[in-house]
Amino acid sequence: MTGKTEEALGYEQARDELVEVVRRLEAGGTSLEESLALWERGEELAKVCRRWLEGARARLDAALAEEEEEEKERGK
């Protein structure tokens, strides 16, 4: 699952699937091949979550900077 399909995942969807992947890995009982596939999927999901969080952080920083600029302009 890469590209556009990954982009379609919302943060909560990616996080929930990542939690399930981790649960399955921690439970054990999977073959080496399945464990590697789960690990790779977990890495992809972690990247999706990271991009969402970085985007949210950038939006928050931009909003705070805009508010600060408006306060400076009102103070002049």
Side-chain angles (χ1 to χ4, degrees):
M1 183 176 225
T2 58
K4 291 185 180 185
T5 308
E6 256 185 31
E7 292 171 10
L9 278 177
Y11 172 78
E12 290 81 5
Q13 293 170 306
R15 181 203 57 213
D16 292 347
E17 188 178 340
L18 180 57
V19 167
E20 179 60 21
V21 166
V22 170
R23 186 196 64 73
R24 289 180 62 195
L25 284 169
E26 288 178 340
T30 56
S31 68
L32 177 58
E33 191 62 35
E34 187 177 2
S35 293
L36 287 172
L38 285 168
W39 180 270
E40 290 169 348
R41 181 63 181 151
E43 288 290 326
E44 290 174 6
L45 292 165
K47 287 177 187 175
V48 170
C49 289
R50 191 174 313 115
R51 280 194 296 271
W52 274 105
L53 292 173
E54 287 170 353
R57 178 46 130 174
R59 288 174 59 192
L60 179 60
D61 288 345
L64 291 173
E66 185 178 315
E67 183 179 314
E68 186 176 299
E69 186 62 33
E70 288 174 2
E71 286 178 10
K72 284 181 184 178
E73 287 178 9
R74 278 183 262 163
K76 286 184 178 180

